[in-house]
Amino acid sequence: MSDVLVDRVQLARKALSHLDTKITERSLEDYRPFFDLLAEGVVFEYASPGASGSTCSKQELVDYVTDLFESLSDPMLAEEIRLTRSLEYFAQGDRVVVLWSERSVDKKSGDSGPDKEAVAIFDFMGNEIVRLRKFSQ
């Protein structure tokens, strides 16, 4: 793998480093590496069975992630999200594709739902994320 591809994969790893910590143990500061890599005009698109949408600026994406974090980390929430398959990174040019699988787990009973596949597609310009797409089942 060329040095440029290795660098892009390292940037994607840094952007997703918050996933190394369970949501119930994270703080908003764990997202700082991701926020720091965002270009001012970053485009973010997402789709899952429950929601879809897009943002067109760094501040909009930071606000979206902050709101999502606050709702998922709420101690009153009955479920948490856990990774069930490690992140896999694939790179070509300025694009890095990251695959993983996750499931929701009931905090009290330990019962879990089915695994859900997820993918994040990062497009870089220099050392900044200029476009990010995230899709999950």
Side-chain angles (χ1 to χ4, degrees):
M1 196 180 303
S2 76
D3 290 344
V4 171
L5 294 181
V6 170
D7 288 347
R8 297 293 183 258
V9 168
Q10 292 304 326
L11 290 172
R13 283 184 196 278
K14 184 176 178 182
L16 294 176
S17 62
H18 59 275
L19 294 178
D20 294 334
T21 306
K22 290 196 302 188
I23 188 76
T24 54
E25 298 171 4
R26 282 183 215 158
S27 72
L28 193 55
E29 190 58 29
D30 293 323
Y31 292 83
R32 179 69 38 217
F34 172 67
F35 295 154
D36 290 346
L37 288 169
L38 299 174
E40 287 302 321
V42 64
V43 173
F44 173 59
E45 301 161 298
Y46 60 95
S48 67
S52 65
S54 64
T55 65
C56 294
S57 75
K58 179 176 183 172
Q59 190 57 55
E60 286 180 11
L61 181 48
V62 168
D63 292 345
Y64 170 81
V65 170
T66 299
D67 291 347
L68 184 61
F69 168 75
E70 288 173 356
S71 68
L72 290 175
S73 63
D74 182 346
M76 299 305 291
L77 191 65
E79 294 183 333
E80 69 176 350
I81 307 290
R82 294 186 187 161
L83 293 182
T84 56
R85 191 178 77 231
S86 299
L87 282 67
E88 299 175 70
Y89 297 83
F90 304 90
Q92 183 171 353
D94 288 329
R95 178 168 290 159
V96 177
V97 176
V98 186
L99 306 173
W100 70 92
S101 135
E102 58 192 23
R103 76 171 57 142
S104 51
V105 178
D106 186 290
K107 291 180 186 177
K108 292 180 182 177
S109 70
D111 292 341
S112 61
D115 282 7
K116 297 177 183 177
E117 298 292 323
V119 60
I121 305 165
F122 291 88
D123 290 326
F124 290 93
M125 183 176 293
N127 290 332
E128 293 184 316
I129 300 165
V130 294
R131 184 175 183 203
L132 171 60
R133 289 166 283 165
K134 181 182 182 284
F135 305 99
S136 61
Q137 290 180 313

